Amino acid sequence: MGVSADHIATLDGWTKQNKISYPLLSDFRRTMLPAYDALVTDEKSPIYRYAKRAYYVIDKNGVVRWIKVEANPLDLLDPAEVLKALKESGV
C-alpha cells in the first residue's frame, strides 16, 4: 500500500487516472509521516512539512524489515531494489 500527504480526494482522482490497483492512504494531517521519518521537519527548509519519498518493507507482524528514504522527493526507487529487499527480508 502507499501513504501520501495528499488529500483523500486528490488520491482518489490520481488512483483512478493512473489505474492504481493497490490502496493509497492519506496522511493529510501529517500524523503518521513523522513516526516513519518521512516528513521534512526543518522549519527553515523551503519544503517544510512536505512528505519525503520513502519506502518500507513491513512484515505481517508490523516489524519494519527495510527502509529507504530518498533525500530528494523527486527521486524514484528502482523497483528491482524493492523486490530484492522483499526477497531478503523473507516477507
Side-chain angles (χ1 to χ4, degrees):
M1 78 177 53
V3 178
S4 172
D6 290 330
H7 190 274
I8 189 71
T10 302
L11 289 177
D12 186 47
W14 191 84
T15 299
K16 289 175 183 171
Q17 180 181 2
N18 292 285
K19 298 181 174 110
I20 302 298
S21 60
Y22 55 86
L24 290 178
L25 307 176
S26 173
D27 188 21
F28 186 69
R29 294 186 178 157
R30 289 148 172 88
T31 56
M32 186 213 76
L33 293 170
Y36 285 87
D37 191 31
L39 188 72
V40 177
T41 57
D42 178 3
E43 293 180 12
K44 296 176 184 173
S45 172
I47 57 171
Y48 173 62
R49 301 216 11 105
Y50 273 64
K52 297 177 184 178
R53 183 152 327 257
Y55 303 86
Y56 305 88
V57 173
I58 303 172
D59 70 17
K60 63 183 175 182
N61 297 316
V63 176
V64 178
R65 300 289 180 180
W66 182 80
I67 300 171
K68 174 85 179 230
V69 180
E70 299 289 356
N72 181 341
L74 298 177
D75 290 341
L76 297 175
L77 188 66
D78 179 356
E81 191 173 348
V82 176
L83 291 174
K84 180 181 176 196
L86 281 168
K87 288 177 185 175
E88 290 176 355
S89 71
V91 174

